[in-house]
Amino acid sequence: MTTSLITGPTAGIGAAFARRLAADRHDLVLVARDGARLGETAAELRERHGVRVEVLQADLATDGGISAVEGRLRDAGLPPVDVLVNNAGFGNRGRFLEAPMADELRMLTLHCEAVLRLTAAAAEGMRERGRGTVVNVASVAAFMPRGTYAASKAWVVRFTEGAALDLRGSGIRFLALCPGFVRTEFHERAGMQAERLPSWAWLDADKVVAAALRDLARGKVLSVPDARYKTAVGLARHVPSRVFGALSAGAGRRYDPKPPPHRG
């Protein structure tokens, strides 16, 4: 039986990955901060799909939380993790210098340090077994100038591409998933004015996951679901940065001083 570990599985893209992989008969290890929602999600997946579901409550914006998940990934006494989905993340509303530095640093810990350490912990065993999959959820923001969030997601993309190159031939598949705007709790939690966006800009989380898995099966390392966002990424490579920066800033113009919870 294949075992998949998913961070941030209680909503949005993480929940879509959990549903899809459980439907594909994967046993699951679910990692999130909110213990109550984690338990509810696990119970629903067990009942609906009849798979084994472990839960691990951990805050991946802290060293202790990351270490706990590293321990699970390296634990030889438990079923090995065949698929790692690094999905947990959050956004800060507002421009650079409008968000508290503590929130910016939490973001870098979650988006970069946690992804680095969990990927390394999982890849060690995967390389020994000669097989495995790592999906790192980034964003189309990685290709656009938009403060710390975009910079952290650009790091995720480059890190994933580099790991795929360095471990080529090991049997490990890597994918950086770069969706556009997806109908999830993400924007509401970050206090962003997502209602300004037109309806055509939104993607469905289940369809994003389906597209990611198709790209993974095709051997791709970078997945940008939906032709509209593929076009946007292509344009971002040629249009001046200030143009895309202005376009992407609209949804998060105002700042809420309360620190936003992250997904997972």
Side-chain angles (χ1 to χ4, degrees):
M1 179 71 78
T2 300
T3 298
S4 297
L5 187 150
I6 306 167
T7 69
T10 59
I13 294 173
F17 266 110
R19 290 191 297 269
R20 171 60 186 269
L21 295 175
D24 289 345
R25 308 302 299 165
H26 290 217
D27 287 339
L28 301 176
V29 182
L30 304 182
V31 179
R33 292 192 311 168
D34 189 329
R37 292 188 73 182
L38 192 57
E40 293 170 1
T41 299
E44 180 181 346
L45 291 168
R46 290 188 194 107
E47 181 177 356
R48 179 172 298 180
H49 301 288
V51 296
R52 182 173 179 268
V53 184
E54 298 175 48
V55 296
L56 178 54
Q57 186 175 0
D59 184 351
L60 294 175
T62 68
D63 180 72
I66 298 171
S67 294
V69 183
E70 285 178 314
R72 172 58 184 88
L73 289 165
R74 293 191 170 110
D75 193 331
L78 293 173
V81 170
D82 306 287
V83 178
L84 170 64
V85 180
N86 281 312
N87 165 75
F90 70 89
N92 286 327
R93 185 166 65 178
R95 299 177 179 182
F96 180 58
L97 296 184
E98 293 179 340
M101 184 55 63
D103 291 348
E104 298 278 64
L105 292 172
R106 286 179 65 244
M107 179 182 292
L108 290 175
T109 299
L110 180 61
H111 292 182
C112 301
E113 182 180 350
V115 169
L116 170 64
R117 290 172 58 180
L118 299 190
T119 298
E124 290 168 3
M126 291 175 180
R127 182 168 60 178
E128 290 177 3
R129 296 188 298 273
R131 66 183 185 281
T133 299
V134 177
V135 177
N136 292 327
V137 179
S139 169
V140 293
F143 305 96
M144 303 171 190
R146 189 68 180 97
T148 304
Y149 179 81
S152 68
K153 292 303 185 179
W155 181 89
V156 171
V157 171
R158 291 305 186 194
F159 166 70
T160 305
E161 291 175 331
L165 182 62
D166 288 345
L167 295 178
R168 184 170 50 189
S170 67
I172 307 175
R173 300 182 298 172
F174 289 89
L175 185 76
L177 172 58
C178 297
F181 290 101
V182 182
R183 291 199 181 279
T184 70
E185 298 175 0
F186 177 86
H187 301 92
E188 180 181 352
R189 283 179 155 190
M192 296 178 181
Q193 297 175 327
E195 69 275 5
R196 293 183 176 186
L197 294 169
S199 59
W200 57 260
W202 293 100
L203 303 177
D204 174 79
D206 292 309
K207 292 180 180 178
V208 165
V209 169
L213 295 178
R214 285 195 300 270
D215 284 342
L216 187 65
R218 293 168 182 158
K220 293 186 177 182
V221 177
L222 179 66
S223 176
V224 181
D226 193 87
R228 292 165 290 184
Y229 285 106
K230 286 183 173 66
T231 300
V233 169
L235 288 173
R237 298 179 189 275
H238 300 95
V239 173
S241 295
R242 64 181 182 277
V243 176
F244 266 96
L247 291 173
S248 64
R253 188 75 67 184
R254 293 180 303 169
Y255 169 65
D256 181 348
K258 294 183 294 182
H262 63 71
R263 61 176 190 269

